[in-house]
Amino acid sequence: MYLIALVIFIILVGVYNIYLSLTRRRKKKVTPLMVNIQVTLNILLVISGLIYLIFG
């Protein structure tokens, strides 16, 4: 169950990161809130991945 949730979370974070990258390439404005959300999601992704790695 946790593995399925982790995989879905990884996909969602990846899609959001790709979306922000494409937005920057198109020279559209990226707000600081969007960057803060990206950083928070990436940190949560690392933490959840480490928890899964350690506790399986």
Side-chain angles (χ1 to χ4, degrees):
M1 181 72 173
Y2 180 73
L3 179 62
I4 294 171
L6 183 63
V7 169
I8 292 171
F9 185 64
I10 289 170
I11 291 170
L12 289 176
V13 171
V15 168
Y16 188 70
N17 285 332
I18 291 169
Y19 168 73
L20 282 185
S21 295
L22 291 176
T23 303
R24 286 186 185 116
R25 274 195 186 173
R26 292 181 183 149
K27 306 292 185 205
K28 293 184 180 177
K29 187 174 182 179
V30 177
T31 64
L33 177 64
M34 294 170 74
V35 175
N36 287 340
I37 291 171
Q38 181 185 26
V39 169
T40 303
L41 286 175
N42 287 334
I43 290 172
L44 287 174
L45 181 65
V46 169
I47 291 171
S48 61
L50 286 174
I51 288 172
Y52 181 75
L53 183 67
I54 293 170
F55 297 111

